[in-house]
Amino acid sequence: MDYLVISGGKRLRGKVEISGAKNAALPIMAGVLLCEGEVTLRNVPDLMDVRTMEHLLNKLGVASRREADGTLKFRVEDEMNCHADYELVRRMRASVCVMGPMLAKRGRAQVSMPGGCAIGDRPINLHLSGMANLGADVDLVSGDVVLKAKRLTGTEIFLGGPFGSSVTATVNVMMAAVLAEGRTIIESAACEPEVADVANFLNACGARISGQGSPRITIEGVKQLKGCDYTVIPDRIEAGTFIMAGAITNGEVRITNCRLEHLLAVVDRLRRIGVNIERDGEDILVSSSRRLDPVEVTSQPYPGFPTDLQAQIMALLCLADGNSIITEKIYPDRFMHVAELNRLGAKLHKEGPTVIVEGVKKLIGAPVMASDLRASAALVLAGLVAKGETRINRVYHIDRGYEKFERKLQNLGADIERRSDASGE
Ligand code: EPU
C-alpha cells in the first residue's frame, strides 16, 4: 500500500494550478443521467472518487469516454438499471447523488443506504423527505432505499436540518425537481458554490433554475434536458489547502485557476493571523514570513468557514504564537486528525465539538495515519514543517480528493515522496 514520506523544513516557492472541484464534478456527473444527447465536461479532476462515479454511471447505462486534460464525454445509452448497489455506495457517499436524477428520469431509484464514515453519522433523511415532498414513494428494502414515482410534482420544500443546510440533499432534490411538473421552491437550500455550479450545468442543459447560491432556489420543471459542454469550477478546498501549505512553510506561492471570492471566510481568518494574500490578475499570491498569530475558527455552511478546511487550519494554528479555538459546527465528530497531530508534538485539547490549540514552537516528524481525506491533507501540511521525517500511511484517502497532490507539492519545492510496501498499512 502507498504511503508518503516528507522531510520537513522546505519553504514552498513557485506556482501551482488548482484542479476542478471534486464536490461539483461528482453531482454534475450524476446529473448526466437526466440528459438526452452528449454531455462534455471539462476541468474534471482525475481522482479516485471521480473514477468511482464514472464506474457507477457505466453500471447505470451511461457510456463515458476520457479525453486528455480533464475532459470527459458521456451519453446515456440504456435506462434499464436503476440500482446503485452497496459495493459502490459504501466506497463513496456522493453516489447517493444519482438518486434524484434516476427517480426523475427513470421513475425509479434503488440506492444502497450509505453508512456512517470517519467524519460522523451522515444521515440522508433530508434527501428522502425532499423526494417524498415531490411525490415519490420511499421504502427501505434490505439496506436499500427504493424510490418510485410516475411523475414528480413541483412543490415547496424546506431542506434545513439540525446542522444547517445540506449540500448533497440540495443538489439531489434540485436534480429531481428539474423534470417535475410545475414549480419547486427549495427553502434553506445550501449556498455552496458547488451547488450553484450544478444548477448552472443543469441550466446549460435546458433546465430553468434560479436563485442558486442563495438559500431559496426556484426550479420551473421542463419536459427534457439535452446535452451540453460545461466547465467545472476550480476546487476551493484544494486552493485553500495550498494557500495554507504556503503559509505554514513561510513560503511564497502563486495559485492559478482559483476563485478568491469562494474563499472569503478562509482569507479573512488567514489575514487575521498574519498571512499575506493578494490578488494578482486572475492569480492569488500567498506569502508569510513570521510566526503566525492565534485565532478563533468556527466551521459553518457557506459562506462561513468550510468544514473541509478545518483540519488544515488546525495544522497551521498548531505553530501559532498563542492559543486558538476551533469549533466544528457541521460534523461535531470530525476530529480524527487531533490525535495524529498530537503525535507530531502538537498540543491539542478536545472538548466536545471544540479543540483548543495551544501553539507550540515546532513539530517533530513521526509515522501517522490518515483517517479521511481532509485529515490526511492536514497531516501533510504538518509534515511539511515538522523536523525530520513524517510518514503518512493510508494515503489512498488523499487520492480520493487531491489530484497529483505530492507532485504539485514537489513542484513547489517540498521534499515529499510516495512509496509503496506490502505491509497493508
Ligand atoms: N445532514 C442531515 N441530514 C441529511 C444530510 C445531511 O442531518 O439528510 C447533516 C450532516 O450530518 C451534516 C450537515 O447536515 O451535519 C451537512 O452535511 P451535508 O449534507 O451538507 O454534507 P454532504 O452533502 O454529505 C458535502 C461534501 C463534503 C462536505 C460537506 C459539508 C460532497 C460530495 N461532499 O457532503 O465533502 O464536508 O458537504 O460542506 O459534496 C470532502 O470533500 O472531504 C467532504 C466530506
Side-chain angles (χ1 to χ4, degrees), residues 53 60 86 101 156 169 212 214 259 280 284 321 326 348 381-382:
M53 181 60 89
L60 296 175
Y86 185 59
E156 286 161 10
Q212 61 271 32
S214 83
R259 299 215 187 141
D280 184 31
I284 297 176
D321 189 9
I326 299 182
L348 305 174
L381 294 188

Side-chain angles (χ1 to χ4, degrees), residues 186-260:
I186 303 178
E187 199 63 82
S188 201
C191 303
E192 271 70 3
E194 294 76 16
V195 175
D197 207 36
V198 178
N200 294 339
F201 159 74
L202 294 169
N203 282 347
C205 297
R208 291 178 58 207
I209 302 172
S210 57
Q212 61 271 32
S214 83
R216 170 185 277 220
I217 297 178
T218 304
I219 303 134
E220 306 285 350
V222 296
K223 289 247 153 34
Q224 76 170 66
L225 296 189
K226 54 187 179 9
C228 75
D229 187 322
Y230 192 80
T231 302
V232 174
I233 54 168
D235 196 308
R236 66 192 163 101
I237 304 302
E238 188 197 8
T241 304
F242 276 100
I243 291 176
M244 292 191 211
I248 203 169
T249 60
N250 276 339
E252 270 182 38
V253 176
R254 175 182 290 271
I255 300 187
T256 67
N257 191 33
C258 162
R259 299 215 187 141
L260 195 65

Side-chain angles (χ1 to χ4, degrees), residues 22-23 26 94 119 122-127 162-163 165-169 192 307-308 330-331 334 373-374:
K22 165 179 88 76
N23 290 346
L26 294 173
I119 67 176
R122 307 188 75 184
I124 58 162
N125 57 310
L126 296 170
H127 302 239
F163 299 96
S165 52
S166 161
V167 174
T168 47
E192 271 70 3
T307 172
D308 289 344
I330 310 288
Y331 297 113
R334 192 178 202 176
L373 170 56
R374 309 303 173 186

Side-chain angles (χ1 to χ4, degrees), residues 81-237:
N81 185 16
C82 300
H83 188 189
D85 60 32
Y86 185 59
E87 185 42 36
L88 286 171
V89 178
R90 91 184 156 78
R91 267 204 265 159
M92 185 185 69
R93 299 183 55 87
S95 310
V96 80
C97 292
V98 300
M99 183 192 283
M102 273 204 297
L103 177 66
K105 189 68 173 38
R106 305 183 182 185
R108 181 186 162 91
Q110 181 170 352
V111 178
S112 176
M113 185 89 165
C117 71
I119 67 176
D121 278 351
R122 307 188 75 184
I124 58 162
N125 57 310
L126 296 170
H127 302 239
L128 299 182
S129 63
M131 303 297 169
N133 275 315
L134 290 169
D137 289 330
V138 182
D139 267 324
L140 186 66
V141 181
S142 318
D144 285 350
V145 184
V146 181
L147 299 103
K148 288 184 211 148
K150 283 212 167 63
R151 181 89 207 256
L152 298 171
T153 311
T155 184
E156 286 161 10
I157 302 174
F158 179 76
L159 271 190
F163 299 96
S165 52
S166 161
V167 174
T168 47
T170 303
V171 295
N172 224 344
V173 173
M174 183 169 76
M175 290 196 284
V178 287
L179 296 181
E181 185 130 25
R183 171 183 298 171
T184 300
I185 293 176
I186 303 178
E187 199 63 82
S188 201
C191 303
E192 271 70 3
E194 294 76 16
V195 175
D197 207 36
V198 178
N200 294 339
F201 159 74
L202 294 169
N203 282 347
C205 297
R208 291 178 58 207
I209 302 172
S210 57
Q212 61 271 32
S214 83
R216 170 185 277 220
I217 297 178
T218 304
I219 303 134
E220 306 285 350
V222 296
K223 289 247 153 34
Q224 76 170 66
L225 296 189
K226 54 187 179 9
C228 75
D229 187 322
Y230 192 80
T231 302
V232 174
I233 54 168
D235 196 308
R236 66 192 163 101
I237 304 302

Side-chain angles (χ1 to χ4, degrees), residues 1 394 421-425:
M1 200 167 281
R394 298 193 182 170
D421 71 10
S423 76
E425 281 292 301

